[in-house]
Amino acid sequence: RFIETLKQMQRDLCFYKGQNGLFSLEETVGKILSKRLLVVFADRSLLALLPRGTWIGGVCTRFFARGECVRTGKEVFVIDLTDVVQDHRIEVYPDFALESLQGDMSNAGFSFLMIPSYSVVHRLAGIQFVARRWNESSPIMGCVVAADVGSSLMQESVVVDGQRGAMYTDSAVVLHCKLFAGDRARLEVINPFSADMQSDVISFSTSSLVLRECLVNGKTWNFADYIRQRGIQEGVPLVGNVQGMTQNVSLLFPLGKQSVTASSTVLPLIPYRFAKSSEMLDERYVEVARRATRTVVASVHGYGNYEMMSRASESMEMFSGPFVLGEIAMLLTNQVTVNLVVSSAGEKAWS
């Protein structure tokens, strides 16, 4: 049994390190022409050069690869799912069709979803996903894509259906995957944040990505004014409990004069608190990562954790992936790492 475990470890390491990571444009084109099943992330100019094939993609220029944080517009980050997926289907969902997504999912697999940032479908996903009863044995993971958010280099957010050769700024693209018989998928979330239970309780009356008026301990505030007066620092998210699941909401800096832009949709009447601000946050990320399963086939990381992961990189080497504006693990959240784990029935994950 020990030998079998070692072989499984070796297979997982070879799969992970050999097939997920940064590749040149030419290498990525070669994978597509070889009919590999891919999820890709790159600068928009590179996405436009990729041929049709069995892939979906989204704009992104920051990655965790080769054991370090990397910003590049000259390489493509590739997640290769070919060897773990028996069958697949690529679908596109405009905002009015998002409700039909769940009915299209495989009962024996997983779905990878990509959403363009600050589109209508971005806001609606934050609302609708909370209302669903997801099948945990057929999970949905994915991301809201963006590049160089808040800077002068910020690109228009797009997602791509590589099968049809079409780019979208207002629709979600989803890769529905069926696994081989006996295999199962699950999601693993690494969240370094927890709510500061000594801080104020904040709630909002509407679901929105642009936050203006809020209630703080029952009193009306302009949210931007509240953040300035309390000296809330960039990188500290709101944390709420949504139907038993933790949701982080990142806030984009610099703040607007009378508004704050969020990376996830806040939900009405949910009590939020700001996360604990701790000098030990990097160490906590490392501690949680070390306990995480190593049989990972795909990872996405919260954009707001880029600096944190650059300091905690040694323990995160197994989790190569893009830095995205929003992470999807049944619900839309921020500043977490989401790992997709695929294992055989009865197989024990090693760590």
Side-chain angles (χ1 to χ4, degrees), residues 8-269:
Q8 180 64 41
M9 290 164 61
Q10 184 179 24
R11 183 186 72 84
D12 293 327
L13 279 170
C14 290
F15 172 80
Y16 186 86
K17 291 190 174 181
Q19 300 195 56
N20 291 0
L22 285 170
F23 293 88
S24 68
L25 177 64
E26 292 75 16
E27 289 172 320
T28 307
V29 169
K31 289 176 179 289
I32 293 171
L33 296 179
S34 298
K35 300 183 179 179
R36 306 294 292 180
L37 180 62
L38 310 177
V39 178
V40 304
F41 300 84
D43 186 276
R44 181 171 178 167
S45 63
L46 294 186
L47 292 174
L49 297 175
L50 296 177
R52 292 189 184 189
T54 53
W55 61 276
I56 63 172
V59 64
C60 185
T61 55
R62 294 184 184 232
F63 311 96
F64 188 75
R66 307 171 188 137
E68 60 182 355
C69 294
V70 179
R71 184 189 180 282
T72 177
K74 297 181 179 180
E75 293 181 285
V76 181
F77 191 92
V78 175
I79 297 173
D80 192 332
L81 299 172
T82 311
D83 297 337
V84 296
V85 172
Q86 183 183 50
D87 198 7
H88 74 277
R89 190 170 76 254
I90 296 174
E91 298 288 352
V92 177
Y93 299 89
D95 58 82
F96 57 82
L98 195 60
E99 291 185 355
S100 63
L101 185 155
Q102 190 171 16
D104 293 337
M105 295 174 64
S106 170
N107 292 324
F110 64 90
S111 294
F112 198 107
L113 168 68
M114 303 184 84
I115 295 174
S117 61
Y118 300 109
S119 58
V120 174
V121 72
H122 179 183
R123 183 179 69 84
L124 289 179
I127 302 168
Q128 294 185 13
F129 285 9
V130 172
R132 304 289 178 84
R133 290 189 175 183
W134 299 103
N135 180 358
E136 291 189 5
S137 63
S138 299
I140 181 167
M141 79 167 290
C143 53
V144 177
V145 298
D148 300 305
V149 175
S151 78
S152 60
L153 300 174
M154 185 173 178
Q155 301 178 30
E156 182 180 26
S157 184
V158 296
V159 294
V160 186
D161 172 1
Q163 188 169 271
R164 299 173 179 84
M167 282 189 176
Y168 302 92
T169 60
D170 56 358
S171 296
V173 175
V174 184
L175 176 63
H176 295 295
C177 296
K178 179 182 178 181
L179 295 172
F180 292 98
D183 286 358
R184 54 193 172 87
R186 63 182 176 84
L187 301 182
E188 195 169 63
V189 179
I190 302 175
N191 185 357
F193 296 98
S194 60
D196 182 354
M197 301 309 293
Q198 304 303 312
S199 66
D200 295 330
V201 176
I202 303 169
S203 61
F204 303 88
S205 60
T206 59
S207 300
S208 181
L209 291 165
V210 180
L211 313 180
R212 294 184 176 87
E213 189 174 282
C214 66
L215 291 179
V216 179
N217 299 331
K219 295 183 179 180
T220 301
W221 275 80
N222 174 272
F223 192 44
D225 289 342
Y226 172 81
I227 290 174
R228 291 188 185 96
Q229 289 198 23
R230 292 296 188 272
I232 304 298
Q233 298 298 306
E234 183 175 3
V236 180
L238 290 171
V239 180
N241 186 297
V242 181
Q243 297 184 0
M245 298 180 289
T246 299
Q247 181 200 28
N248 298 345
V249 178
S250 296
L251 308 174
L252 299 188
F253 282 67
L255 305 176
K257 186 175 182 180
Q258 290 292 301
S259 65
V260 180
T261 301
S263 298
S264 284
T265 311
V266 297
L267 300 169
L269 307 180

Side-chain angles (χ1 to χ4, degrees), residues 4-13 295 347 350:
E4 290 177 358
T5 302
L6 286 179
K7 288 181 178 178
Q8 180 64 41
M9 290 164 61
Q10 184 179 24
R11 183 186 72 84
D12 293 327
L13 279 170
T295 51
E347 176 185 301
W350 60 280

